[in-house]
Every structure is written in structure tokens, then in C-alpha cells.
Amino acid sequence: MKRIIIEGNRPLSGTIKIGGAKNSTVALIPAAILATGTLKIHNVPGITDKDALLEILKLLNIKVNEEDNTIILDARNIQNGVVTEELAQKLRASYYFMGALLGRFKKAEVYFPGGCKIGSRPIDIHLQGFEALGAKIKTENNKYIITADELKGTEINLRFASVGATVNIILAAVLAKGQTIINNAAKEVEIENLIEFLNNMGAKIKGAGTNTIIIDGVSALHDADITVIPDRIEAGTYIIMGSLLGDNLTIDGVNPKHLTSVLTKLKEMGIGINVKENKIIITKAQGIKATDVKTEVYPGFVTDLGQPMSVLLTQAEGISHFEETIFENRMGHIPNLQKMGAKIKFDNTHAVFYGPSKLKGAELTATDLRSGAALVTAGLIAEGTTIINDADYILRGYERIITKLSDVGAKIEITEI
Ligand code: UD1
């Protein structure tokens, strides 16, 4: 287990460079198996979720080379295989191999996915999409076996605009016969990035960034390059840290358009934010105004920033409300914040913050990736020492977080225990 130790209450100044988006990367890597040639993915973040996906590619006989932040994949000798329980359980996005292997080989054998425990997270919408395309699904000893004689394009209406289901159905449909229309598709920018990659490979997909995606099936895909977009969640996390401790803290390499809902909310709270092209400069606010935050699908306030945001709400003057509408339980960080002295009442999807509360260092436990990011944020503003157990979660989605924060003045270290 990894443990993060923070000595809190130090200003943050200097520049933090944002890496490529985790949620793009975890879709782009499985998508690579749809082509038979050489694929290059640039600006790949150094996160452990990426490492796990590359392990799966190796299992499928794909040659993987990493040069700095570029990965080069040679899929010429690709072979279908079972995505093992050990690898599938490492992350949620292992389930993108269901759509990709089905699309490529008309057969996918993938064990149940892992990922953060933030609700029951069913995948019925993914499976209904595969079935609509003509696939048959069996489950056997925690494994999905999905087969099709032929995949045929059709019109699919998603009952919820699920990111994962939209990605998986696109992956299964690009090589299907005829046209697939996905209605009520997710509009997240990471899906636009995926569609750009697939179109670079020769796919015919329209409607990226809208809720209707139209895929005209093609018979094969070829060599292609793609650059991963900046990680809006990583950027948002550091922007929130800057709102609490920034002294001209610069967050560099962002796409501010992807962060509109977050920046609007922070401005409403009185935080000084200066946007200059792909940089955001933040200085700690003197008095933070209480507010209400409700998570929504893109372009609404992103659920992944709800947990770091709640640390900011503990410092706002007055009563703030937080509502999580996407997942059933994303409140694992709250008991930890209470332990540090924050005054919060909560249930699975709502929290009320009575701020400002002075936070004191404590021994905490990360319960998932973004709760871990919230605890780091809390540790940075707390008086004294904060210890965060199960910090492995954090490294799944934040590249070089210790170095990035140390370089701007934080006193933070990570140890293996
Ligand atoms: C993705 C992101 C995650 C983000 C989330 C919402 C990745 C790897 N992860 O997760 O960081 O927080 O989008 O923006 O990109 N649902 C069903 N049935 C399904 C699929 C989903 O009921 O078949 C429900 C889920 O339980 C959840 C909600 O729909 O309550 C949203 O899920 P979804 O959009 O699929 O999120 P993920 O793809 O898991």
C-alpha cells in the first residue's frame, strides 16, 4: 500500500503542467486494436490505469513501445484472447475491450471490470447496445462472453447518456455492416477525442460532441496518430487547490472551454481566476462565498470534481449544498473530512457544509480515485500532518502528483508501507 504524507498550510506558486486526459487515454488504447497497423498515441499521461491497459494489449500480442509520453502500438500480429480477471479488475475501462474485441473479432471474452466503488455501476446499457448490433452475451464465472456471427448497424436509444456505453457501442459499431445511430449519446470531450482517433484510422463517424452519433461501418482501419486532450479533471483539481492556497499558481496546458462549468462556479464563489489562452492563473480567495453545486453530465459540473470541490465548500463562509446526480455514492471522502474537523451533514447523494471549518491534519483513508484527490486537497490546507492511506487509488489518475505539487511549494511525500 502507498501512503501520502502532507505537512499542510503552505502557499502554492509556480506552474503545474497538465497531462493528457485519463478518460481519453483509457478509451484510445483499447480502440487501437481495431486497426491492423501502427498506432501512435501522443501526450499519454503517466498513470497506472494506462499501465494496466498496455498489459492487456501485450496479452493480445500487440507490440508496445513507450517513448516519453508517446506510445507506439504495432497491432499487425494481434490475436484475440481472454482479458484476464487480474487485469480486468485493475480498472473500470478494461470493459472497453468488450466493444473493441467484439468489433474486431466478433468475439470478446472479458472478466468483470474493476474500478472505483462509487455505486452499483451496472453495464446494462453497454450490453443492450451490443445486443442491438446482433451480439449474444453469456456470463460465466465472472466473465462476459460476447459473440456475433455478424454485427449490423441499427438505431440505439440509450436510456441514460452513459460515457462508458457510448464508447463501447462506438467501438463495436465502427467495423459493423451499415449505419449505427446512437441517440442520447454522451457528449463528453473525451468521446470527441476517441472519435477523432477512429476517424484518423479511417472510420466514418459523425456527431462527436452532440447527443446523436452516426457511424457508417467500414471494412478495415489503418495506421493513425492521435494526441490526447488535456485532462480537465486533473486541471480542475489543481485549480481547486489553487483557489485555497494559490499565490499566482499557474495551471498550464489546459483547454479552458472544457472547464467552463467549474470556472463559472469558482468565479461565483469569489475566486480570482485569470484565463490566458491555455493557462489558468489563480490566487487564493480572501473570503470564499458559500454556494450550491450539483453534478451533471457534460457540459454540467463534472462529477469527478465533486469530491475535490467539497473541500473548497468546507472553507466557504455560510451554508453550501452539494448534490451528486450521476453516481449513487461518491461520498467516501466526507467521513475523512469530518475527522479533520469539517462540519458536514450528508447522505449518499447530498451533503450540507457549514463553513468555514478549520481543518486539522489526521490519518485518513482514500476510498476511490477522486476521494483520494479530495483528501490531498484537504491535507494541503490542514494544520499539521495528514496521512493518506490507500494512496494507490490516486496514482491511477494523477500523473506525478507528488512532484507536481512539491515543485509549487507543497510539502508532500509518498511511501510504500
Ligand atoms: C465515466 C468516467 C468517469 C465519470 C463518468 C461520468 C471514464 C473511464 N470514466 O464513467 O470518470 O465520472 O463517466 O462523467 O471515462 N449506468 C447504468 N448502466 C450502464 C452504464 C451506466 O446504469 O450500462 C449508470 C452508472 O451506474 C452511473 C451513470 O449511469 O450511475 C453514469 O455512468 P457512465 O456515464 O457510464 O460513467 P462511466 O463511463 O462509468
Side-chain angles (χ1 to χ4, degrees):
M1 177 185 87
K2 294 205 163 45
R3 169 181 269 177
I4 287 179
I5 302 161
I6 304 171
E7 291 294 329
N9 214 1
R10 286 159 195 262
L12 302 178
S13 65
T15 299
I16 296 180
K17 182 98 177 81
I18 296 307
K22 163 186 165 290
N23 287 352
S24 280
T25 304
V26 299
L28 295 170
I29 294 174
I33 72 168
L34 290 166
T36 328
T38 304
L39 290 314
K40 284 188 189 167
I41 310 178
H42 307 284
N43 196 33
V44 176
I47 52 175
T48 55
D49 269 13
K50 176 262 305 177
D51 298 333
L53 291 170
L54 293 184
E55 284 307 308
I56 298 177
L57 291 187
K58 288 178 193 161
L59 197 100
L60 302 171
N61 208 33
I62 293 174
K63 271 204 203 131
V64 177
N65 266 307
E66 289 189 78
E67 287 170 16
D68 301 322
N69 287 104
T70 294
I71 55 180
I72 302 152
L73 306 171
D74 178 350
R76 278 175 299 182
N77 297 318
I78 183 172
Q79 278 168 11
N80 200 358
V82 180
V83 177
T84 62
E85 186 153 30
E86 192 208 342
L87 286 171
Q89 277 292 312
K90 282 196 175 168
L91 76 169
R92 189 87 194 142
S94 56
Y95 65 10
Y96 288 151
F97 282 96
M98 292 176 13
L101 288 172
L102 179 66
R104 181 76 171 77
F105 295 106
K106 313 281 177 286
K107 180 170 186 190
E109 286 192 60
V110 182
Y111 275 85
F112 292 177
C116 292
K117 292 177 181 54
I118 50 181
S120 63
R121 305 186 85 176
I123 63 162
D124 54 308
I125 308 174
H126 307 230
L127 301 179
Q128 281 159 15
F130 297 148
E131 281 172 339
L133 292 168
K136 296 214 163 16
I137 301 163
K138 270 199 315 189
T139 52
E140 201 179 271
N141 303 325
N142 298 337
K143 184 173 71 173
Y144 291 105
I145 304 173
I146 310 172
T147 50
D149 296 331
E150 183 182 59
L151 293 169
K152 257 196 178 159
T154 184
E155 187 157 356
I156 299 171
N157 301 312
L158 306 190
R159 75 166 164 78
F160 177 82
S162 153
V163 172
T166 303
V167 169
N168 244 334
I169 295 168
I170 293 173
L171 294 174
V174 276
L175 294 171
K177 278 216 174 99
Q179 188 175 72
T180 302
I181 301 173
I182 309 174
N183 294 316
N184 195 27
K187 293 189 287 194
E188 268 71 0
V189 287
E190 293 78 14
I191 297 178
E192 287 189 55
N193 205 188
L194 169 71
I195 291 176
E196 188 190 345
F197 188 32
L198 291 168
N199 283 341
N200 290 351
M201 292 184 205
K204 291 201 162 61
I205 309 173
K206 285 188 273 190
T210 75
N211 51 21
T212 305
I213 294 175
I214 301 166
I215 305 153
D216 283 303
V218 294
S219 56
L221 298 174
H222 49 70
D223 297 0
D225 274 40
I226 187 72
T227 299
V228 182
I229 57 169
D231 196 315
R232 63 193 167 106
I233 321 280
E234 186 197 18
T237 305
Y238 290 127
I239 290 167
I240 290 167
M241 291 175 182
S243 305
L244 291 158
L245 291 160
D247 176 6
N248 276 315
L249 180 70
T250 300
I251 313 300
D252 188 19
V254 300
N255 184 336
K257 282 195 205 124
H258 297 171
L259 285 155
T260 304
S261 60
V262 175
L263 297 178
T264 306
K265 185 53 76 181
L266 294 177
K267 284 180 190 160
E268 193 186 300
M269 296 175 80
I271 313 282
I273 290 181
N274 196 350
V275 179
K276 280 189 184 158
E277 292 169 18
N278 64 348
K279 291 186 175 56
I280 296 177
I281 302 144
I282 319 131
T283 291
K284 167 188 169 158
Q286 285 318 322
I288 302 172
K289 289 187 206 145
T291 190
D292 295 341
V293 179
K294 184 176 173 183
T295 60
E296 323 239 23
V297 295
Y298 189 81
F301 194 98
V302 58
T303 164
D304 303 68
L305 285 176
Q307 289 159 308
M309 186 68 178
S310 35
V311 181
L312 187 61
L313 298 182
T314 68
Q315 302 308 303
E317 288 167 7
I319 299 177
S320 298
H321 293 264
F322 174 76
E323 188 184 350
E324 165 62 38
T325 71
I326 310 290
F327 290 102
E328 291 146 9
N329 192 349
R330 231 175 176 171
M331 298 291 178
H333 60 306
I334 301 276
N336 285 288
L337 297 180
Q338 288 174 326
K339 194 171 172 188
M340 299 175 90
K343 289 188 195 67
I344 310 170
K345 280 193 187 149
F346 75 108
D347 59 28
N348 283 351
T349 51
H350 294 81
V352 187
F353 297 79
Y354 303 86
S357 308
K358 227 176 175 19
L359 300 192
K360 278 210 177 111
E363 182 165 347
L364 314 171
T365 302
T367 53
D368 57 83
L369 165 60
R370 307 300 171 187
S371 95
L375 301 187
V376 171
T377 310
L380 290 173
I381 61 169
E383 217 176 84
T385 308
T386 295
I387 295 171
I388 304 169
N389 294 318
D390 284 342
D392 312 63
Y393 280 119
I394 301 167
L395 306 183
R396 286 191 36 211
Y398 291 88
E399 65 168 13
R400 299 186 295 106
I401 185 168
I402 305 299
T403 315
K404 287 189 185 188
L405 285 171
S406 302
D407 287 352
V408 294
K411 192 144 193 281
I412 179 167
E413 59 181 43
I414 192 160
T415 57
E416 181 80 50
I417 61 160

Short mmCIF file of all heavy atoms in Angstrom, two decimals, residues 22-23 26 92-93 95-96 120-126 159-165 188 302-304 326-328 330 370, ligand 1:
data_model
loop_
_atom_site.label_atom_id
_atom_site.label_comp_id
_atom_site.label_asym_id
_atom_site.label_seq_id
_atom_site.Cartn_x
_atom_site.Cartn_y
_atom_site.Cartn_z
N LYS A 22 -6.94 11.20 -18.59
CA LYS A 22 -7.10 9.78 -18.25
C LYS A 22 -8.29 9.18 -19.00
O LYS A 22 -8.17 8.12 -19.61
CB LYS A 22 -7.32 9.63 -16.74
CG LYS A 22 -7.89 8.30 -16.32
CD LYS A 22 -8.22 8.27 -14.85
CE LYS A 22 -9.09 7.12 -14.46
NZ LYS A 22 -10.48 7.19 -14.93
N ASN A 23 -9.43 9.86 -18.96
CA ASN A 23 -10.63 9.25 -19.53
C ASN A 23 -10.60 9.15 -21.06
O ASN A 23 -11.35 8.37 -21.64
CB ASN A 23 -11.90 9.97 -19.05
CG ASN A 23 -12.20 9.65 -17.59
OD1 ASN A 23 -11.57 8.78 -16.99
ND2 ASN A 23 -13.16 10.36 -17.01
N VAL A 26 -7.88 5.98 -21.62
CA VAL A 26 -8.38 4.63 -21.35
C VAL A 26 -9.36 4.15 -22.42
O VAL A 26 -9.70 2.96 -22.46
CB VAL A 26 -9.01 4.52 -19.93
CG1 VAL A 26 -7.99 4.84 -18.86
CG2 VAL A 26 -10.26 5.36 -19.78
N ARG A 92 -11.83 0.16 -14.36
CA ARG A 92 -13.15 0.14 -14.98
C ARG A 92 -13.04 -0.02 -16.50
O ARG A 92 -13.77 -0.76 -17.13
CB ARG A 92 -13.81 1.48 -14.64
CG ARG A 92 -15.24 1.56 -15.00
CD ARG A 92 -16.07 1.02 -13.88
NE ARG A 92 -17.41 0.78 -14.32
CZ ARG A 92 -18.13 -0.26 -13.92
NH1 ARG A 92 -17.64 -1.14 -13.09
NH2 ARG A 92 -19.35 -0.42 -14.35
N ALA A 93 -12.10 0.72 -17.07
CA ALA A 93 -12.05 0.83 -18.54
C ALA A 93 -11.59 -0.47 -19.21
O ALA A 93 -11.61 -0.55 -20.44
CB ALA A 93 -11.12 1.97 -18.95
N TYR A 95 -13.34 -2.75 -19.50
CA TYR A 95 -14.54 -3.19 -20.24
C TYR A 95 -14.62 -2.59 -21.65
O TYR A 95 -15.45 -3.02 -22.44
CB TYR A 95 -15.83 -3.00 -19.45
CG TYR A 95 -16.29 -1.60 -19.09
CD1 TYR A 95 -15.73 -0.46 -19.62
CD2 TYR A 95 -17.36 -1.45 -18.20
CE1 TYR A 95 -16.19 0.80 -19.27
CE2 TYR A 95 -17.84 -0.20 -17.85
CZ TYR A 95 -17.25 0.92 -18.40
OH TYR A 95 -17.71 2.16 -18.05
N TYR A 96 -13.76 -1.64 -21.99
CA TYR A 96 -13.75 -1.16 -23.36
C TYR A 96 -13.20 -2.23 -24.32
O TYR A 96 -13.40 -2.15 -25.53
CB TYR A 96 -12.93 0.13 -23.51
CG TYR A 96 -13.62 1.34 -22.88
CD1 TYR A 96 -12.89 2.40 -22.38
CD2 TYR A 96 -15.00 1.42 -22.83
CE1 TYR A 96 -13.51 3.50 -21.81
CE2 TYR A 96 -15.64 2.51 -22.26
CZ TYR A 96 -14.89 3.54 -21.76
OH TYR A 96 -15.51 4.63 -21.20
N SER A 120 -23.44 1.15 -7.69
CA SER A 120 -23.53 -0.23 -8.19
C SER A 120 -22.95 -0.35 -9.60
O SER A 120 -22.51 -1.41 -10.00
CB SER A 120 -24.97 -0.71 -8.12
OG SER A 120 -25.77 0.08 -8.97
N ARG A 121 -22.96 0.69 -10.38
CA ARG A 121 -22.36 0.76 -11.72
C ARG A 121 -22.72 -0.41 -12.64
O ARG A 121 -21.84 -1.13 -13.13
CB ARG A 121 -20.83 0.92 -11.61
CG ARG A 121 -20.43 2.10 -10.76
CD ARG A 121 -18.95 2.36 -10.77
NE ARG A 121 -18.54 3.18 -11.90
CZ ARG A 121 -17.30 3.62 -12.09
NH1 ARG A 121 -16.35 3.29 -11.24
NH2 ARG A 121 -17.00 4.36 -13.13
N PRO A 122 -24.00 -0.59 -12.92
CA PRO A 122 -24.38 -1.65 -13.86
C PRO A 122 -23.89 -1.33 -15.27
O PRO A 122 -23.57 -0.17 -15.56
CB PRO A 122 -25.91 -1.64 -13.82
CG PRO A 122 -26.27 -0.27 -13.37
CD PRO A 122 -25.16 0.21 -12.48
N ILE A 123 -23.84 -2.33 -16.15
CA ILE A 123 -23.44 -2.05 -17.53
C ILE A 123 -24.50 -2.52 -18.52
O ILE A 123 -24.22 -2.88 -19.66
CB ILE A 123 -22.03 -2.62 -17.87
CG1 ILE A 123 -22.01 -4.14 -17.77
CG2 ILE A 123 -20.96 -2.02 -17.00
CD1 ILE A 123 -20.81 -4.72 -18.52
N ASP A 124 -25.75 -2.49 -18.06
CA ASP A 124 -26.86 -2.95 -18.90
C ASP A 124 -26.95 -2.17 -20.22
O ASP A 124 -27.29 -2.73 -21.26
CB ASP A 124 -28.18 -2.83 -18.13
CG ASP A 124 -28.41 -1.43 -17.57
OD1 ASP A 124 -27.51 -0.90 -16.90
OD2 ASP A 124 -29.48 -0.85 -17.84
N ILE A 125 -26.64 -0.88 -20.20
CA ILE A 125 -26.78 -0.07 -21.42
C ILE A 125 -25.74 -0.50 -22.46
O ILE A 125 -26.03 -0.59 -23.65
CB ILE A 125 -26.66 1.44 -21.10
CG1 ILE A 125 -27.62 1.84 -19.97
CG2 ILE A 125 -26.94 2.29 -22.34
CD1 ILE A 125 -27.48 3.27 -19.48
N HIS A 126 -24.53 -0.83 -21.99
CA HIS A 126 -23.48 -1.34 -22.91
C HIS A 126 -23.99 -2.63 -23.57
O HIS A 126 -23.92 -2.81 -24.77
CB HIS A 126 -22.20 -1.71 -22.16
CG HIS A 126 -21.62 -0.65 -21.28
ND1 HIS A 126 -20.30 -0.30 -21.35
CD2 HIS A 126 -22.14 0.12 -20.31
CE1 HIS A 126 -20.05 0.63 -20.45
NE2 HIS A 126 -21.15 0.89 -19.80
N ARG A 159 -30.88 4.78 -22.57
CA ARG A 159 -31.83 5.28 -21.57
C ARG A 159 -31.17 6.35 -20.69
O ARG A 159 -31.85 7.14 -20.05
CB ARG A 159 -32.42 4.14 -20.73
CG ARG A 159 -31.50 3.54 -19.71
CD ARG A 159 -32.21 2.66 -18.69
NE ARG A 159 -31.24 1.85 -17.99
CZ ARG A 159 -30.47 2.30 -17.01
NH1 ARG A 159 -30.55 3.54 -16.60
NH2 ARG A 159 -29.57 1.49 -16.44
N PHE A 160 -29.84 6.35 -20.67
CA PHE A 160 -29.08 7.40 -19.98
C PHE A 160 -27.84 7.66 -20.82
O PHE A 160 -27.30 6.74 -21.43
CB PHE A 160 -28.68 6.91 -18.56
CG PHE A 160 -27.83 7.91 -17.82
CD1 PHE A 160 -28.41 8.98 -17.16
CD2 PHE A 160 -26.44 7.80 -17.80
CE1 PHE A 160 -27.63 9.91 -16.49
CE2 PHE A 160 -25.65 8.73 -17.14
CZ PHE A 160 -26.25 9.79 -16.48
N ALA A 161 -27.38 8.92 -20.86
CA ALA A 161 -26.23 9.27 -21.72
C ALA A 161 -24.93 8.81 -21.05
O ALA A 161 -24.11 9.62 -20.60
CB ALA A 161 -26.22 10.77 -21.97
N SER A 162 -24.76 7.50 -20.97
CA SER A 162 -23.59 6.92 -20.30
C SER A 162 -22.33 7.08 -21.16
O SER A 162 -22.34 6.76 -22.35
CB SER A 162 -23.87 5.43 -20.06
OG SER A 162 -22.68 4.68 -20.01
N VAL A 163 -21.27 7.55 -20.52
CA VAL A 163 -19.98 7.71 -21.20
C VAL A 163 -19.48 6.33 -21.64
O VAL A 163 -19.16 6.10 -22.81
CB VAL A 163 -18.94 8.36 -20.25
CG1 VAL A 163 -17.55 8.36 -20.86
CG2 VAL A 163 -19.38 9.77 -19.88
N GLY A 164 -19.44 5.41 -20.69
CA GLY A 164 -18.90 4.08 -20.98
C GLY A 164 -19.68 3.36 -22.07
O GLY A 164 -19.09 2.77 -22.98
N ALA A 165 -21.01 3.42 -22.01
CA ALA A 165 -21.82 2.72 -23.01
C ALA A 165 -21.64 3.37 -24.38
O ALA A 165 -21.54 2.67 -25.39
CB ALA A 165 -23.28 2.74 -22.59
N GLU A 188 -19.33 14.01 -23.69
CA GLU A 188 -18.06 14.34 -23.02
C GLU A 188 -16.94 14.52 -24.05
O GLU A 188 -16.88 13.80 -25.07
CB GLU A 188 -17.70 13.22 -22.03
CG GLU A 188 -18.19 13.43 -20.61
CD GLU A 188 -19.70 13.31 -20.42
OE1 GLU A 188 -20.42 13.05 -21.41
OE2 GLU A 188 -20.17 13.50 -19.28
N VAL A 302 -18.77 18.56 -13.58
CA VAL A 302 -18.36 17.16 -13.71
C VAL A 302 -18.30 16.44 -12.35
O VAL A 302 -17.74 16.97 -11.39
CB VAL A 302 -17.02 17.05 -14.48
CG1 VAL A 302 -15.90 17.84 -13.80
CG2 VAL A 302 -16.59 15.61 -14.69
N THR A 303 -18.90 15.27 -12.32
CA THR A 303 -18.97 14.50 -11.06
C THR A 303 -17.57 14.22 -10.46
O THR A 303 -17.41 14.23 -9.25
CB THR A 303 -19.75 13.18 -11.25
OG1 THR A 303 -19.48 12.31 -10.16
CG2 THR A 303 -19.39 12.45 -12.53
N ASP A 304 -16.59 14.02 -11.32
CA ASP A 304 -15.24 13.69 -10.80
C ASP A 304 -14.62 14.83 -9.99
O ASP A 304 -13.67 14.61 -9.25
CB ASP A 304 -14.30 13.37 -11.97
CG ASP A 304 -14.82 12.25 -12.81
OD1 ASP A 304 -15.85 12.46 -13.47
OD2 ASP A 304 -14.24 11.17 -12.79
N ILE A 326 -24.97 11.70 -10.58
CA ILE A 326 -24.55 10.68 -11.56
C ILE A 326 -24.33 9.32 -10.89
O ILE A 326 -24.77 8.30 -11.40
CB ILE A 326 -23.25 11.10 -12.29
CG1 ILE A 326 -23.36 12.54 -12.84
CG2 ILE A 326 -22.88 10.10 -13.38
CD1 ILE A 326 -24.31 12.73 -14.00
N PHE A 327 -23.63 9.31 -9.78
CA PHE A 327 -23.33 8.04 -9.11
C PHE A 327 -24.07 7.96 -7.78
O PHE A 327 -24.40 8.98 -7.18
CB PHE A 327 -21.81 7.88 -8.91
CG PHE A 327 -21.10 7.65 -10.20
CD1 PHE A 327 -20.41 8.67 -10.83
CD2 PHE A 327 -21.15 6.41 -10.83
CE1 PHE A 327 -19.77 8.47 -12.04
CE2 PHE A 327 -20.52 6.20 -12.05
CZ PHE A 327 -19.83 7.22 -12.65
N GLU A 328 -24.30 6.72 -7.33
CA GLU A 328 -25.13 6.53 -6.14
C GLU A 328 -24.39 6.86 -4.85
O GLU A 328 -25.00 7.15 -3.84
CB GLU A 328 -25.59 5.07 -6.05
CG GLU A 328 -26.57 4.71 -7.12
CD GLU A 328 -26.39 3.28 -7.57
OE1 GLU A 328 -25.63 2.52 -6.94
OE2 GLU A 328 -27.01 2.92 -8.59
N ARG A 330 -20.80 8.82 -3.91
CA ARG A 330 -19.48 9.40 -4.13
C ARG A 330 -19.09 10.23 -2.91
O ARG A 330 -18.56 11.33 -3.03
CB ARG A 330 -19.52 10.28 -5.38
CG ARG A 330 -18.40 9.89 -6.31
CD ARG A 330 -18.31 10.52 -7.63
NE ARG A 330 -17.07 9.99 -8.19
CZ ARG A 330 -16.69 10.15 -9.42
NH1 ARG A 330 -17.42 10.81 -10.27
NH2 ARG A 330 -15.52 9.65 -9.83
N ARG A 370 -11.02 9.84 -6.88
CA ARG A 370 -11.29 11.28 -6.66
C ARG A 370 -11.45 11.61 -5.18
O ARG A 370 -11.22 12.74 -4.79
CB ARG A 370 -12.51 11.73 -7.45
CG ARG A 370 -12.46 11.39 -8.93
CD ARG A 370 -11.29 12.02 -9.68
NE ARG A 370 -11.20 11.46 -11.04
CZ ARG A 370 -10.21 11.71 -11.89
NH1 ARG A 370 -9.19 12.46 -11.53
NH2 ARG A 370 -10.21 11.18 -13.08
C1 UD1 B 1 -17.14 7.87 -16.94
C2 UD1 B 1 -15.82 8.37 -16.46
C3 UD1 B 1 -15.91 8.84 -15.04
C4 UD1 B 1 -17.01 9.87 -14.91
C5 UD1 B 1 -18.32 9.36 -15.52
C6 UD1 B 1 -19.40 10.40 -15.58
C7 UD1 B 1 -14.24 7.06 -17.73
C8 UD1 B 1 -13.25 5.95 -17.71
N1 UD1 B 1 -14.85 7.28 -16.57
O1 UD1 B 1 -17.51 6.77 -16.11
O2 UD1 B 1 -14.67 9.39 -14.66
O3 UD1 B 1 -17.23 10.12 -13.54
O4 UD1 B 1 -18.09 8.91 -16.86
O5 UD1 B 1 -18.96 11.50 -16.29
O6 UD1 B 1 -14.42 7.74 -18.72
N2 UD1 B 1 -25.07 3.39 -15.83
C9 UD1 B 1 -26.04 2.40 -15.87
N3 UD1 B 1 -25.94 1.42 -16.82
C10 UD1 B 1 -24.93 1.41 -17.75
C11 UD1 B 1 -23.96 2.41 -17.70
C12 UD1 B 1 -24.05 3.40 -16.72
O7 UD1 B 1 -26.97 2.39 -15.06
O8 UD1 B 1 -24.90 0.49 -18.58
C13 UD1 B 1 -25.14 4.44 -14.79
C14 UD1 B 1 -23.94 4.34 -13.83
O9 UD1 B 1 -24.18 3.40 -12.81
C15 UD1 B 1 -23.86 5.76 -13.33
C16 UD1 B 1 -24.29 6.58 -14.53
O10 UD1 B 1 -25.02 5.70 -15.38
O11 UD1 B 1 -24.76 5.95 -12.26
C17 UD1 B 1 -23.13 7.23 -15.28
O12 UD1 B 1 -22.28 6.24 -15.78
P1 UD1 B 1 -21.31 6.45 -17.03
O13 UD1 B 1 -21.61 7.73 -17.72
O14 UD1 B 1 -21.37 5.19 -17.80
O15 UD1 B 1 -19.92 6.60 -16.32
P2 UD1 B 1 -18.63 5.76 -16.58
O16 UD1 B 1 -18.45 5.53 -18.04
O17 UD1 B 1 -18.61 4.59 -15.64
#
